[in-house]
Amino acid sequence: MEYQEILRFHGHACPGLAIGYRMSLAAMDALDAVRSSDEEIVAITENDACGVDALQCLTGCTFGKGNLIFHDYGKQVYTLYSRTTLRGVRVLFHGKGIPPELRGDRNARAEFILNAPAEALLSVTEVVVEEPERAQKRASISCAGCGEEVMETRLVDVEGRSLCIPCAERQK
Amino acid sequence: MEYQEILRFHGHACPGLAIGYRMSLAAMDALDAVRSSDEEIVAITENDACGVDALQCLTGCTFGKGNLIFHDYGKQVYTLYSRTTLRGVRVLFHGKGIPPELRGDRNARAEFILNAPAEALLSVTEVVVEEPERAQKRASISCAGCGEEVMETRLVDVEGRSLCIPCAERQK
């Protein structure tokens, strides 16, 4: 996907999206991977900032496909794993080469990030990744409270009745 | 966004994506809303299945923007809230009008879902939604272990040292 398409998906331009774009490109290059149409690539992101939208667009690791895993560590790190080659790569954004005078200027910072040499922005390390489980499909069962369908693994037993989580919480 | 673009984002065609497409369209219509370039719309999804990729594409409520909230209830429900009009709408996919003979045929089922009248597939209810908090920006601080930058709210104190979560877990 071109950056323009990613911008359209995200909805606006910002330095964070540019960061995710460069991190994702670096990871895909290092893995020599193509966009994941199913679950060939798995991405573990250690933040939920703007850049993850570029990660979704570029890698095909999307929230809806189950190959985007979120570790809420607050770090500018993506780890990508290829189920095809079994290789893993960790990309850390450090931004050490960003001129300090750009700090107050979001547009100039985003522009710099999009065009700077990779080593001014990030590091890439080969890592061993334990293969993440694939997304599972589960049967649906009606909640004994509201009657709505619920994935069977999310039903809660409340005094012998199988309830969805919202119904179970209303019983408390 | 057109369905073709959503397909490209998701990576493949499937009934789940068609479900999310119809649910998202119904929600946006009911709210009379346009795609969220920032956080004007908030979506609460009660599952993390394929359809959420259509939700991200159509509503602009994306993982990276912080206006996609995940409640892991295993239900085919999206609740959308407009920060502009303060209105909320709950869309439940029931699929009651899907002919049973399509159960084994993914392509025919997806096609049916894309074209069926809304009432054969889903219900839409106006609901009161408590306004969700906006995404917060936080300062970054170096982890005293690995030296990598960490969002300040994700640092963990381990015997007087401020560590990132992975470093803190290695201390255990």
Side-chain angles (χ1 to χ4, degrees):
Chain A
M1 271 196 200
E2 299 295 317
Y3 195 64
Q4 282 307 318
E5 274 180 280
I6 298 171
L7 267 180
R8 221 147 67 86
F9 175 73
H10 186 58
H12 62 261
C14 60
L17 194 67
I19 290 173
Y21 179 75
R22 292 302 305 268
M23 290 174 72
S24 306
L25 272 188
M28 295 295 274
D29 277 354
L31 282 182
D32 201 15
V34 293
R35 194 178 193 278
S36 196
S37 66
D38 198 351
E39 295 185 60
E40 302 86 348
I41 308 281
V42 183
I44 304 159
T45 174
E46 299 189 13
N47 67 75
D48 58 354
C50 294
V52 183
D53 282 348
L55 177 68
Q56 293 191 91
C57 288
L58 274 173
T59 65
C61 299
T62 66
F63 186 84
K65 282 222 299 278
N67 58 346
L68 177 70
I69 297 171
F70 176 37
H71 287 175
D72 191 7
Y73 298 163
K75 299 181 76 168
Q76 288 281 33
V77 173
Y78 301 155
T79 302
L80 268 71
Y81 174 76
S82 163
R83 294 192 194 275
T84 315
T85 62
L86 312 185
R87 285 174 57 215
V89 70
R90 178 182 198 263
V91 177
L92 165 76
F93 184 87
H94 54 63
K96 285 181 184 157
I98 302 176
E101 62 269 25
L102 297 186
R103 213 157 276 171
D105 186 338
R106 285 166 60 86
N107 290 344
R109 203 158 77 245
E111 204 52 37
F112 181 89
I113 292 165
L114 286 175
N115 297 296
E119 56 276 17
L121 303 174
L122 51 84
S123 70
V124 179
T125 327
E126 290 264 342
V127 287
V128 175
V129 177
E130 218 173 295
E131 178 152 6
E133 261 190 63
R134 285 178 188 265
Q136 302 288 323
K137 291 222 171 109
R138 308 283 187 181
S140 283
I141 293 173
S142 295
C143 166
C146 63
E148 295 176 354
E149 297 285 294
V150 188
M151 187 164 73
E152 58 182 349
T153 52
R154 294 295 177 278
L155 282 165
V156 185
D157 182 276
V158 178
E159 296 168 5
R161 297 170 77 214
S162 283
L163 300 180
C164 70
I165 295 171
C167 281
E169 285 179 352
R170 275 191 287 271
Q171 302 276 309
K172 279 179 190 166
Chain B
M1 269 195 201
E2 298 297 316
Y3 195 61
Q4 282 308 318
E5 275 180 279
I6 297 171
L7 268 180
R8 223 148 67 84
F9 175 73
H10 187 57
H12 62 261
C14 60
L17 194 67
I19 290 173
Y21 178 75
R22 293 302 304 266
M23 290 174 71
S24 305
L25 272 187
M28 294 295 274
D29 277 355
L31 282 182
D32 201 15
V34 294
R35 192 179 194 279
S36 196
S37 66
D38 199 351
E39 296 183 59
E40 302 87 349
I41 307 283
V42 183
I44 302 159
T45 173
E46 299 190 13
N47 66 75
D48 57 355
C50 294
V52 184
D53 282 349
L55 177 69
Q56 292 192 91
C57 287
L58 274 173
T59 64
C61 299
T62 67
F63 186 84
K65 282 222 298 278
N67 57 345
L68 177 70
I69 297 171
F70 176 38
H71 287 175
D72 191 6
Y73 297 163
K75 299 182 74 166
Q76 288 281 34
V77 173
Y78 301 154
T79 302
L80 267 70
Y81 174 76
S82 163
R83 292 192 195 276
T84 315
T85 62
L86 313 185
R87 285 175 55 214
V89 70
R90 179 183 197 261
V91 177
L92 165 76
F93 184 87
H94 54 65
K96 284 179 185 159
I98 302 176
E101 61 269 25
L102 297 185
R103 213 157 274 174
D105 186 337
R106 286 167 59 84
N107 291 343
R109 203 158 77 248
E111 204 52 37
F112 181 89
I113 292 165
L114 286 175
N115 297 298
E119 56 277 16
L121 303 174
L122 50 84
S123 70
V124 178
T125 327
E126 290 263 341
V127 287
V128 174
V129 178
E130 216 173 296
E131 177 152 7
E133 261 189 62
R134 285 178 188 265
Q136 301 289 322
K137 290 221 170 107
R138 305 284 187 181
S140 283
I141 293 173
S142 295
C143 165
C146 64
E148 294 177 357
E149 297 285 295
V150 188
M151 188 164 71
E152 59 183 348
T153 52
R154 294 297 176 276
L155 283 164
V156 185
D157 182 278
V158 178
E159 296 169 4
R161 297 169 77 213
S162 282
L163 300 180
C164 70
I165 294 169
C167 281
E169 284 178 351
R170 274 192 287 273
Q171 301 275 310
K172 277 180 193 164

